[in-house]
Amino acid sequence: MGRVLILRRLAALLLAAVLAHGLWTFGRQAFQTVRSPWSRDYGEGCVLGMAQLLAERGNYFPDLRDYPFLVANYPPVFIGIAALGQKLLGPSLAFPRLLGLLATLGVMIALYRGLRTFVPDRLTGALFASLFALPWFVTTWAGLARVDTLAICFSLAGLAIVLRHGAGPRAWPTLILFWLAFFTKQNALLAPAAVGLELLLARDRRFVKALLAYALPLAAGLGLLVLATHGAAWRHLLPYTAAAEYEPGRMAASYFQLALVAAPLLVLIASALALAPRAFASGSGRLLLIYFGLNLLALTTIAKAGAAQNYFLEPWAATLLLAAFSLRTLC
């Protein structure tokens, strides 16, 4: 027993050292990115350009018949905050990068809040939430002036509320968070889709009501944006953004990269599905399994030309949530 206890403590120390090194790498990389005056990603220039147009003209959806020839491929939440930063502080990468980094930390907090609905102790929840920061695709993206982490933060915060309170009246803030996610990045639809599918599979009479409560205000908000921009927002956010080349050869390589990073967690998930399938037949287990499955399907969009490591972020978060639930199931 003494040797077993010593081995357990050594294993815990080793895991703590690995986690500490990963978090140190994450923090160092993020700090260096935020403080650097140089752009490391073409999308940062697009964000700055959209924010500048919004700050100067009040509209960042140009008609493309004259300068600037800019496709405004993001909705207004992140862009609006960046534009406000430009008005207050002047044009700089520092403010939107700091916003992206704070949103990444917000993702980890939202993960923790979601994990605590089924993980028994705070330490385990904190460990799983901290794992989000370790992969290369998070450390290289967290401090960039891009919209992805803010959209994922809103999505996971809404999902955490559903995990805690279900889809009843107490979960109404979820709708606001899911709307904010969409108006940060228009393909941030996986979390609300997972909640809707769970209600549908549960034959919950609230499904239609929940669907209408989410979809109608969302459509109204998008319609107002389109009207305010004389149809330009529709063209930029949908057909212009979708009209891109696809590189199917990247798809398999991307799935392999995610599987390589998440291999221990995927083994944990597979073990729980094999040994305790009933845990995933309803409730939080089924909701997280649906969310995980939707993210795996959505990863096919990484074949879009110009897609980068940001397409790994939400599938990785979904993997962490499902793996933590699997661990609790097995224990």
Side-chain angles (χ1 to χ4, degrees), residues 82-141:
L84 179 61
Q86 285 201 16
K87 279 182 171 291
L88 296 176
L89 305 172
S92 170
L93 280 169
F95 180 79
R97 279 179 172 174
L98 181 61
L99 177 60
L101 177 57
L102 291 175
T104 303
L105 298 178
V107 169
M108 296 169 68
I109 293 171
L111 273 173
Y112 175 78
R113 296 294 296 173
L115 289 162
R116 288 291 289 130
T117 61
F118 52 82
V119 170
D121 61 279
R122 295 179 180 178
L123 179 60
T124 303
L127 288 174
F128 268 92
S130 299
L131 287 175
F132 179 78
L134 268 58
W136 65 270
F137 47 78
V138 178
T139 58
T140 56
W141 198 266

Side-chain angles (χ1 to χ4, degrees), residues 216-231:
L216 292 181
L218 186 73
L222 182 59
L224 289 174
L225 180 62
V226 171
L227 287 174
T229 58
H230 306 287

Side-chain angles (χ1 to χ4, degrees), residues 52-96:
Q52 184 174 350
L53 282 177
L54 183 58
E56 293 178 351
R57 305 181 182 182
N59 180 15
Y60 65 100
F61 298 104
D63 61 13
L64 300 185
R65 295 172 184 170
D66 198 355
Y67 288 102
F69 295 113
L70 172 71
V71 175
N73 54 340
Y74 297 131
V77 172
F78 189 98
I79 305 302
I81 299 173
L84 179 61
Q86 285 201 16
K87 279 182 171 291
L88 296 176
L89 305 172
S92 170
L93 280 169
F95 180 79

Side-chain angles (χ1 to χ4, degrees), residues 26 29-30 33 40-41 133 135-144 309:
F26 167 79
Q29 175 76 26
T33 300
R40 301 186 179 188
D41 179 85
W136 65 270
F137 47 78
V138 178
T139 58
T140 56
W141 198 266
L144 294 181
Q309 62 264 42

